[in-house]
Amino acid sequence: RNIVGPNEVSAKASFEWGPQNLSTFISTYENCGEKTIKDNAKQCFDDLQKYAKDAAVDRIALSVEYHRTNRRWIDLTDPSIEFGIPRAETFVGSLTYGRPLSANPVAANSARFDVKVEYEDNSEKGIDNRLTGSAIVTWKVNDAVSVPLGIVFANHQNDLPDSDRELSAHFGLIYKLPKLPTLLP
């Protein structure tokens, strides 16, 4: 119904690739297959930890997204109110590449490097298209704390006062909360 909002159509497709993954682990360690994992749970767990330590490989992700919102206009005569949402289409594509910088990516004091480039086509909305890119290095201090340091580039003109390019640096702190005790038996 008009009062609820416009009809919308969205689609997203993504592809992620990493040469060492859980399927590769199961095919490499036969005792951890679906039929034998119950009998070899301890050995399988040890093998999985060893495999994760040795899995210092690249990761690539490609994503494409489309979103369309149909025009919806509401005109009420009593009281006199008129508002609406114009038709809009958005297309977003992104490519991400990540690489561990340490021989053991799950250990404390390990590091990871990630690069992402994203393009957003908003031409139907009357907004300039947007290209952003980021390069981030994340240091894992321990199992609970990580420190990301990154550089971000954006070319969006409409959001910037005097320039059509923007480069900024970011620093962060990531803290993983400890597990809370469960209250249920």
Side-chain angles (χ1 to χ4, degrees), residues 12-15 61-65 91-96 116-120 132:
K12 182 175 183 175
S14 60
F15 173 77
L62 176 65
S63 176
V64 179
E65 187 174 345
F91 169 80
V92 179
S94 69
L95 177 64
T96 306
K116 181 176 183 178
V117 177
E118 184 173 272
Y119 175 75
E120 187 173 343
T132 58

Side-chain angles (χ1 to χ4, degrees), residues 134-172:
S134 63
I136 300 171
V137 175
T138 305
W139 285 278
K140 181 178 178 182
V141 177
N142 56 40
D143 287 337
V145 178
S146 296
V147 179
L149 177 63
I151 296 174
V152 179
F153 166 81
N155 76 333
H156 48 93
Q157 290 177 315
N158 289 349
D159 298 335
L160 303 172
D162 298 327
S163 165
D164 64 345
R165 302 214 187 295
E166 180 73 21
L167 187 65
S168 59
H170 298 271
F171 167 79

Side-chain angles (χ1 to χ4, degrees), residues 103-139:
N104 183 355
V106 295
N109 295 321
S110 62
R112 177 171 183 80
F113 176 69
D114 292 289
V115 176
K116 181 176 183 178
V117 177
E118 184 173 272
Y119 175 75
E120 187 173 343
D121 180 353
N122 290 308
S123 55
E124 179 119 348
K125 293 180 183 176
I127 302 171
D128 287 342
N129 295 337
R130 181 176 166 143
L131 177 68
T132 58
S134 63
I136 300 171
V137 175
T138 305
W139 285 278

Side-chain angles (χ1 to χ4, degrees), residues 10-31:
S10 287
K12 182 175 183 175
S14 60
F15 173 77
E16 296 185 27
W17 181 77
Q20 288 184 300
N21 53 45
L22 196 53
S23 296
T24 308
F25 166 74
I26 291 172
S27 65
T28 304
Y29 294 88
E30 295 86 22
N31 64 331

